[in-house]
Structures are given as C-alpha cells and as structure tokens.
Amino acid sequence: MKSFDVISVLLLASSLTSVYAHGFVGQVAIDGKWYAGNVPNNYKGPSPIRLIDDIGPVKGSSNKDLICGLSAQNAEMVVPANPGSTVSFQWSGGGGQKWPHNTGPLMTYMTSCGSTSCDKFDPTNAKWFKIDQLGKKDANTWYQADIQSGSAFNVVLPQNLAPGGYLIRHEIIALHLATSMGGAEFYPSCTQVMIGGNGSGSPSPTVSFPGAYSDSDPGIYDPDVYNPGTSYTFPGGPVSNLAAVSDAIVPGQTASAAFPSGTNVSPPPSPSQGGNNGSDDSNGDDNGDNSGSSSSPSASGPAPTSNPAGGSSSGSDSSGGSGSCMLRRSTDTNANRPRHYSRIMRRIMHHASAI
C-alpha cells in the first residue's frame, strides 16, 4: 500500500508540472507605462487586459474563445494610447514561470469598439485587422523562443489609426503539436485602449474570429514544422493597410506591474455583464477609464477564486502527439482546457502525509 501511495504521489506531481506548460499575457505597457494583468481565474484588481479563466490554450479554429481567450471577460480599464504608441506584451507561464513554448508565430490584430466603450464592447461579430506578424528569426529558430527566454514583444501601433476605442488582440500560436491536425494551440489576449490623435485610416482587409483560421491552414497544421529550413505561411490573411510601424523583441520585465493603488479587490464582471458570451452589458455603470486610472469593478459578479497558478491539467491532448499538453474537455466546444491544479496539490499533500 505504501508503494502505491508513492506511485500516486509521483503521478500527481507529474500531472501538476503540466500546469506550467501553458501561459498568458501577464502585463502590458503603453509607451512605457506598465499595467498588471490578472492571473487567469484569480482576479486581483482592475486591468486593461481581459481576464481569461484558464492558462490553457484555445483549441480548434471554430472555437469562439479564439476571440480573446478562454471565457474572456470584459476588463475594467480602458487605457490611453496614440497612433505610433509602443505597446509591450510580457508573457508568463503557469505558476509564475516563464512562457513555456518556442515554436510558432506571434500575431497582433485590432478592432474598433465603435460607439461602445471598450469595457462594455462585445467582440463576437467584430471585424479585426492584422497589424503585425512575426515568425522565424532564422531558418531554424522562432522569435517565440525569445519569449520563452523571458523577453517581451513590442509593437508600434499604426500611424493613421482613427481615434476611438480599440481592442488589441495579441496572440501566440504554439505549433509544437501542429504535426497533427488540430494540434495547434492558440493563446489570444485582448487589451482595451483608447486611441487619440486625428488619424483617418480605414482598415482593409478585415477578418472574423472564429472564421479567420482553418485547422487545415498550412500555418496551423504544419507537418514540416520541425524540418530545418522550411518556410512558414502565416494564417489569418495578410497584414492590413494599417500596419504596425515596427516590431521588436526587447528585454523582459523583471518586476511585476502593480494594480492601481487605492482600489479594492472585488469580483470581476459576470459573463452576463459582457465578454464573449454574445451579449453586452447595457445596464451596468461604465467602469472604463480613458485616462488610464481605474475604478472598482461591479460587485454583482461572481466571487473571485484563489487559484494561484491559474489551472492544471489532466487527460491527454486531442492531437495524440507525444509530449502533448494535458487537457480536459470543454463543456461549450470541442476545445480542451487544463483543470485547476489546487485539487491536485491537495491530493498530493494527502497522499504524502499518508506515506
């Protein structure tokens, strides 16, 4: 019985380590001013980054979570930016680790929030335009490998953006399992900004999410992804006429941004108040802050959870490939998501104490 307990602990510990195999945008900066993001499913305070409920990937090109991430909720802050502003994205892995993957592209899209404040905007039917894409740095190495090493990604916004509210959708597609159909892992993240200035650009072409990708696209299903020297075809169509001025991999942040001082931790908006559930919040107060400060979120949402690492995993990846990320089946799509690892930790401690 003792040996069985030891094996159980080892298996559970192995499963726990898979929590680190996914990730999210941990913080974002506009022209050098950093804003904290919430650990998925562990709300701490107002942010311009839309909160997702798990660090796991979005799976499948028809998944509605391709818009802004797994069950993404509207964020409270709408932060100021301008045409030509530098936007920095710092990615994080689960459990406070670095981003875990090194294969696949980084792409950035934008969409206008129109006449709706971006903290209320439902992007279900939004039209997105691609402003930037970054793939391989040489024949065999991806820029994503620099993100894995802790670097941040900078993109300089298009110069002719019309003023108004926008979502910036920054995405990593992890292709380490893309040798199998459906193996690609999508990690989209949306940040809410208010663009100033007097630009007048009208973007073309535009795409929809879902709809922009197909599971069979050569940049998503890529049997040759590990063959040295092979070229890469970006999915999602071309970069629009409103293209980023430049992009760059830059040294990452060693310190975490702080949430706005003087704010109280309170629950984020519930799905019925906005997000990717197909409905806007037309009744709640506007919590957006176009000056970069923030207000407390609505107290009518669900209580925040206290899962420090954002999730863990169980089961096997739908691609069936070796080294696959351990995932569970989603209830609303055929997507897979990792489970929260706190239960696993409790089981590890329980078994360990019995040994």
Side-chain angles (χ1 to χ4, degrees):
M1 183 63 69
K2 291 292 186 182
S3 61
F4 175 79
D5 287 339
V6 171
I7 293 172
S8 297
V9 170
L10 293 175
L11 288 174
L12 289 169
S14 175
S15 183
L16 176 60
T17 61
S18 66
V19 71
Y20 304 135
H22 307 302
F24 61 103
V25 172
Q27 50 189 343
V28 65
I30 311 292
D31 292 329
K33 178 177 175 57
W34 284 93
Y35 300 93
N38 286 285
V39 172
N41 202 33
N42 188 18
Y43 181 85
K44 293 295 184 182
S47 172
I49 305 171
R50 292 200 167 189
L51 175 67
I52 57 176
D53 76 349
D54 203 291
I55 65 170
V58 177
K59 299 285 285 186
S61 63
S62 62
N63 192 331
K64 67 181 178 64
D65 285 338
L66 272 177
I67 301 172
C68 287
L70 293 174
S71 299
Q73 299 180 32
N74 294 10
E76 297 88 346
M77 298 176 68
V78 183
V79 296
N82 287 297
S85 285
T86 298
V87 184
S88 306
F89 299 93
Q90 181 74 57
W91 288 83
S92 177
Q97 305 300 303
K98 293 179 180 178
W99 174 253
H101 303 307
N102 61 11
T103 303
L106 292 79
M107 298 191 292
T108 309
Y109 299 79
M110 296 182 70
T111 191
S112 171
C113 299
S115 61
T116 303
S117 177
C118 283
D119 63 318
K120 300 293 191 295
F121 179 65
D122 176 3
T124 299
N125 298 310
K127 298 299 182 183
W128 299 84
F129 56 100
K130 186 189 291 186
I131 67 168
D132 189 74
Q133 54 191 14
L134 193 64
K136 288 186 171 182
K137 61 190 301 184
D138 57 45
N140 302 313
T141 309
W142 297 79
Y143 283 102
Q144 189 183 150
D146 294 321
I147 304 300
Q148 184 186 49
S149 298
S151 296
F153 172 75
N154 278 7
V155 62
V156 178
L157 297 181
Q159 290 284 11
N160 199 29
L161 284 172
Y166 289 84
L167 298 186
I168 303 176
R169 179 186 181 274
H170 182 56
E171 174 183 38
I172 286 179
I173 303 180
L175 298 177
H176 54 288
L177 303 177
T179 54
S180 299
M181 185 77 74
E185 297 184 355
F186 304 95
Y187 295 89
S189 175
C190 290
T191 299
Q192 301 171 173
V193 298
M194 175 62 71
I195 300 294
N198 56 5
S200 59
S202 178
S204 178
T206 61
V207 297
S208 299
F209 290 104
Y213 302 155
S214 169
D215 288 333
S216 60
D217 284 346
I220 293 175
Y221 168 55
D222 193 349
D224 298 321
V225 68
Y226 293 117
N227 293 344
T230 56
S231 61
Y232 179 72
T233 302
F234 289 94
V239 173
S240 75
N241 61 320
L242 294 180
V245 176
S246 63
D247 56 33
I249 298 294
V250 297
Q253 288 294 104
T254 56
S256 296
F259 290 102
S261 60
T263 59
N264 296 320
V265 175
S266 56
S270 68
S272 63
Q273 292 178 298
N276 295 343
N277 62 349
S279 64
D280 285 330
D281 176 8
S282 58
N283 298 321
D285 292 335
D286 188 338
N287 289 327
D289 184 351
N290 297 342
S291 66
S293 63
S294 66
S295 58
S296 298
S298 167
S300 62
T305 59
S306 56
N307 188 347
S312 80
S313 51
S314 177
S316 60
D317 187 88
S318 60
S319 69
S322 60
S324 61
C325 295
M326 308 292 282
L327 307 167
R328 70 169 169 84
R329 185 68 61 185
S330 169
T331 58
D332 57 356
T333 69
N334 288 329
N336 294 315
R337 304 178 185 172
R339 289 185 301 182
H340 307 306
Y341 85 100
S342 57
R343 300 189 193 95
I344 298 176
M345 177 61 80
R346 288 196 296 270
R347 293 168 63 190
I348 289 176
M349 299 306 296
H350 174 75
H351 283 286
S353 64
I355 295 175

